Amino acid sequence: MQRRFHLSVLFAALTAFTAAAPAHAQQKTDAQKQLASERFTLISPFPPGGPVDTLARVLSDGLAKRYGQAAVVDNQVGAAGNIGMEKVKRAKGDGHTLLVIPAGNVTINPTLMPAFPFDMAKDFVPITMLAKAPNVLVASPSSGIRNAKELVAQAKARPNTLSYASPGVGSGLHLAGELFKQQAGIDMLHVPYKGTAPALNDVLGGSVPLMFSNLPATLPFLKQGKLVAIGITEAHRSAAAPDIPTLAEQGIQGVSVTSWYGLMAPRGTPPAVVEQLAKDAAEMLAQPEVRERLKLQGMTDAAMKPAEFASYIRDETAVWARIIKARNIVAE
């Protein structure tokens, strides 16, 4: 009888624990409740189809599934990204209006633009880096340049005559060229364009022999043999294009320039909401299908904690500020 009593008590306790476990597991934090309260808007300050737009859509899909709310991507294009940034700056800091932004707008423009309309440290809250894409120095096949050694030889034979294209004065890819010139000890002529597409078109056509570009933009043309890869501007080769050597492997040290994309919120967004969004983004980016989608565009996920991301931004801003001032680069 006593044994039956003990078994009954044990069974009752186990039943109570089993019933309570799912309820406990389903409990949401205050931050999660806040995020589940209304729809999301992901601001992409650049046109559809590029890396920023791709990442915004990955996040919108993930947030919609996680929180049961609509999540839309709003491409607010214009003023080199400033129109979209302004919309986020003026939004309520509750975690429902978010900004997907490339590195240049965050770490270069504050120094480059004399009338930059934002205080990045006060107007926005860094959430996390989302992805990185290596930059690559490419050449037109008609240039006859196949590697860094041949490029340096041509540049020294024709000082300040060999030219390279960029999406514009002060862009990260322009600064990559300035850094390359400094580290290689050569002079090249900078030819700025209004955007990546027109610059890339002229390199493809052979009008300009060289260009620093992010790997996603050039990868299809490299695979088709319409461009020649000179070198990756990172310490290690890219998983998306492992056959392309780094510039460092070819003797050009110190040219480490990576394109990255981050997630930011308006000022006033509660720290707990920021931390939750960073955690959500990291989990979304770690999904195998998302990683494969990014890989096809030459990107790799690069999630980090908010404090780490804020520190990264401060450090990179200081590096570019030194280069901009040392090379006397002035925005158009």
Side-chain angles (χ1 to χ4, degrees):
M1 183 72 178
Q2 188 176 10
R3 180 179 176 82
R4 285 183 182 176
F5 174 77
H6 286 315
L7 288 174
S8 298
V9 171
L10 179 60
F11 178 77
L14 286 172
T15 302
F17 176 79
T18 303
H24 176 74
Q26 292 171 6
Q27 285 181 357
K28 292 182 179 180
T29 64
D30 289 342
Q32 289 172 321
K33 290 176 184 177
Q34 164 69 19
L35 290 169
S37 66
E38 59 182 276
R39 62 180 281 168
F40 296 90
T41 300
L42 282 295
I43 301 294
S44 169
F46 297 95
V52 174
D53 183 71
T54 294
L55 289 164
R57 294 183 190 282
V58 165
L59 292 175
S60 68
D61 291 345
L63 289 169
K65 291 174 183 175
R66 281 174 179 250
Y67 294 107
Q69 290 285 350
V72 299
V73 175
D74 185 1
N75 297 93
Q76 290 281 324
V77 181
N82 286 354
I83 289 177
M85 293 176 73
E86 181 66 27
K87 184 166 184 177
V88 175
K89 174 186 172 181
R90 294 180 179 276
K92 185 179 178 182
D94 59 7
H96 293 101
T97 302
L98 303 170
L99 176 69
V100 181
I101 195 78
N105 291 74
V106 179
T107 62
I108 294 174
N109 288 359
T111 301
L112 183 73
M113 296 181 174
F116 189 64
F118 310 106
D119 183 327
M120 295 305 299
K122 294 180 180 179
D123 294 334
F124 303 96
V125 179
I127 298 175
T128 185
M129 187 181 290
L130 296 170
K132 287 184 174 183
N135 293 320
V136 59
L137 174 57
V138 297
S140 166
S142 63
S143 70
I145 299 172
R146 297 293 182 271
N147 53 53
K149 183 178 179 180
E150 292 177 0
L151 190 161
V152 170
Q154 277 205 31
K156 288 184 175 179
R158 301 182 291 151
N160 212 31
T161 301
L162 187 65
S163 60
Y164 74 98
S166 87
V169 173
S171 63
L173 299 171
H174 170 206
L175 298 185
E178 293 298 313
L179 189 57
F180 178 83
K181 284 159 50 175
Q182 176 180 295
Q183 297 303 108
I186 59 175
D187 286 319
M188 293 194 298
L189 181 65
H190 174 226
V191 182
Y193 288 78
K194 292 183 178 181
T196 297
L200 193 54
N201 283 339
D202 274 6
V203 177
L204 287 165
S207 300
V208 183
L210 300 163
M211 179 180 179
F212 284 87
S213 179
N214 56 57
L215 187 58
T218 57
L219 199 53
F221 302 109
L222 292 169
K223 291 178 178 178
Q224 295 165 17
K226 294 180 179 179
L227 289 173
V228 176
I230 303 301
I232 294 284
T233 63
E234 275 195 343
H236 306 286
R237 296 193 183 199
S238 168
D243 293 336
I244 303 176
T246 66
L247 292 174
E249 286 178 61
Q250 301 175 72
I252 312 296
Q253 305 293 333
V255 186
S256 183
V257 183
T258 302
S259 292
W260 57 259
Y261 309 90
L263 182 66
M264 307 190 87
R267 64 183 171 186
T269 304
V273 171
V274 171
E275 292 284 347
Q276 182 61 51
L277 285 167
K279 181 181 178 182
D280 290 338
E283 291 174 358
M284 293 174 206
L285 294 167
Q287 295 174 9
E289 63 272 20
V290 172
R291 285 186 168 177
E292 186 60 28
R293 184 176 174 183
L294 297 183
K295 184 179 177 181
L296 290 173
Q297 292 204 25
M299 294 188 285
T300 55
D301 62 286
M304 55 179 66
K305 294 182 178 180
E308 185 183 1
F309 186 36
S311 177
Y312 191 100
I313 289 171
R314 286 193 297 271
D315 291 346
E316 187 167 292
T317 299
V319 169
W320 286 131
R322 288 195 296 270
I323 293 172
I324 289 167
K325 291 171 183 177
R327 307 294 292 186
N328 195 29
I329 300 169
V330 180
E332 294 176 317

